[in-house]
Amino acid sequence: MSSPVLVLARQGRVLDKVGQQLVRDTFTTAFMKNFIVVLVWFLLSYINGSVVATFFRHQIFYEDPRYILFIHMVINDAVQLTVTIALFVVSYALYTISVGVCCFIILVAVFTTRSTPVNLAGMALERYIAICYPLRHAQICTVRRAYMLIGAIWFVSVVPDITDLFVTLATEPLSFFQTTVFCLRPNVFKDPVLLYKRQAFDGIYFSLVFLTLLCTYLRVVFAARALSTERTSAKRATNTILLHGVQLLMCLLSYVSPGVEGILHIIFPGRILEIRFANYLIVYILPRFLSPIVYGVRDKKFRKYLKRYFVCGRPVDTRVECKGEED
């Protein structure tokens, strides 16, 4: 999987394989690219901040496992976006940074990127239990278990890649971490075995998440056909799981993006920097817009509180209705 750190760090300067020349952005192009990504960061930070503020201002949400998992994913995506965009700007301003700092940035970006699909699988399972086992939902899906699931998400996200750091510490002298490098994952975690390990883990990891989403979607669809009363809820649940599937597919785009970049480079020679910038926006930025939309906009209960706070323009008590608001 091509990490967002790798894609970002290659943006401003790249070696043209044909001409063997270092291709760089002009000052105007570099400024516009940085302006766009920082503007996108401000926009997404405002959206995510709005959602997080709405969540924590109303007790009804942080006592519901469904919304706890949702807000965890929003915060996770916000951290991932902040780290990668910070590296984007630094790669233009400083070019090389300390190996120790680079290690930290890469690991944070990888951990937050990996945790998103697992979080999607957990949210899909919660919807499956709510529709297929409604009488047991309150017993199975508790707040305590939601936080335990978040802990498990971070465990499976951190452990496979923290080994890269341990291997590097064992194979490289300590002086290596005091040098400066262009912050690419291969420049820091050099052992070739780590690449094969990462590819094997990615295949298993995404296969399990995909199967989880597929199985929960099919079970909810079958349950919706059998139910005579909760058809509307079941339909909303299937649509939500479908959106989770779309998010997962967008995460999987990182697998094919290097190949697509190569093909586009052949079709549009000399445009590799523009191709990689567009690839970053589509593959790594666009999915971040979906997280707050799935519940922040589609979910009726959350949307109602979100409108109360932001349409009215100030925080209000949950008992107070905005003028003209429909329940």
Side-chain angles (χ1 to χ4, degrees):
M1 182 174 65
S2 179
S3 75
V5 175
L6 183 60
V7 173
L8 278 169
R10 295 182 303 184
Q11 289 293 337
R13 304 164 177 84
V14 64
L15 186 66
D16 189 338
K17 296 296 184 182
V18 178
Q20 293 296 308
Q21 295 178 343
L22 190 65
V23 181
R24 299 190 180 193
D25 283 325
T26 64
F27 174 79
T28 303
T29 303
F31 175 80
M32 289 306 300
K33 286 182 177 180
N34 280 271
F35 177 78
I36 290 171
V37 296
V38 172
L39 183 64
V40 168
W41 179 79
F42 273 113
L43 176 61
L44 272 174
S45 296
Y46 175 76
I47 295 172
N48 290 332
S50 303
V51 172
V52 172
T54 302
F55 174 86
F56 284 107
R57 285 186 178 275
H58 303 291
Q59 189 175 357
I60 189 174
F61 295 125
Y62 52 82
E63 291 182 349
D64 189 330
R66 176 185 183 186
Y67 296 104
I68 291 173
L69 292 175
F70 161 62
I71 211 66
H72 169 256
M73 186 167 65
V74 170
I75 295 173
N76 176 84
D77 286 352
V79 172
Q80 193 265 358
L81 189 71
T82 300
V83 169
T84 53
I85 288 182
L87 180 59
F88 185 100
V89 176
V90 168
S91 69
Y92 278 92
L94 301 178
Y95 187 52
T96 60
I97 60 176
S98 166
V99 170
V101 175
C102 181
C103 283
F104 174 77
I105 292 175
I106 288 175
L107 289 175
V108 171
V110 170
F111 296 159
T112 50
T113 301
R114 286 199 186 282
S115 67
T116 296
V118 187
N119 204 103
L120 291 172
M123 295 169 74
L125 285 172
E126 188 277 332
R127 287 294 82 202
Y128 159 71
I129 295 171
I131 298 303
C132 297
Y133 303 97
L135 297 180
R136 299 183 59 191
H137 178 261
Q139 297 175 340
I140 299 174
C141 298
T142 62
V143 171
R144 180 172 176 271
R145 287 179 176 173
Y147 286 115
M148 290 174 61
L149 178 59
I150 290 174
I153 289 171
W154 278 100
F155 178 80
V156 301
S157 300
V158 169
V159 169
D161 286 288
I162 201 68
T163 55
D164 291 7
L165 178 60
F166 294 150
V167 170
T168 302
L169 286 170
T171 56
E172 298 287 345
L174 290 178
S175 59
F176 170 69
F177 293 90
Q178 299 174 354
T179 60
T180 59
V181 295
F182 187 53
C183 195
L184 294 175
R185 190 167 184 170
N187 290 347
V188 177
F189 304 117
K190 300 178 180 181
D191 196 317
V193 175
L194 298 177
L195 174 62
Y196 299 116
K197 185 244 348 174
R198 187 164 63 249
Q199 290 174 341
F201 175 77
D202 284 342
I204 298 171
Y205 171 82
F206 279 103
S207 296
L208 291 175
V209 174
F210 174 77
L211 289 174
T212 300
L213 290 174
L214 179 63
C215 291
T216 52
Y217 174 76
L218 292 176
R219 291 296 299 270
V220 171
V221 168
F222 294 146
R225 292 179 179 178
L227 292 172
S228 58
T229 54
E230 296 293 327
R231 288 184 180 271
T232 302
S233 298
K235 185 177 180 180
R236 285 200 298 266
T238 55
N239 291 338
T240 298
I241 296 174
L242 270 179
L243 281 174
H244 292 336
V246 172
Q247 289 176 277
L248 178 64
L249 289 176
M250 286 185 163
C251 294
L252 292 174
L253 285 177
S254 58
Y255 278 106
V256 300
S257 61
V260 173
E261 279 185 9
I263 295 172
L264 291 176
H265 191 202
I266 295 173
I267 299 173
F268 305 102
R271 296 289 182 180
I272 186 63
L273 293 176
E274 290 78 4
I275 291 170
R276 285 179 174 169
F277 182 68
N279 171 68
Y280 170 69
L281 293 178
I282 294 171
V283 175
Y284 297 104
I285 295 290
L286 186 58
R288 306 296 172 239
F289 280 96
L290 282 181
S291 296
I293 288 174
V294 171
Y295 283 121
V297 177
R298 287 187 66 254
D299 186 89
K300 184 178 179 181
K301 181 166 65 174
F302 199 93
R303 184 174 68 246
K304 182 172 67 173
Y305 285 88
L306 189 65
K307 285 171 61 179
R308 286 175 176 174
Y309 182 72
F310 291 98
V311 174
C312 289
R314 60 184 179 83
V316 295
D317 188 82
T318 57
R319 295 168 296 179
V320 179
E321 300 290 341
C322 291
K323 186 176 180 181
E325 179 186 2
E326 294 180 2
D327 290 330

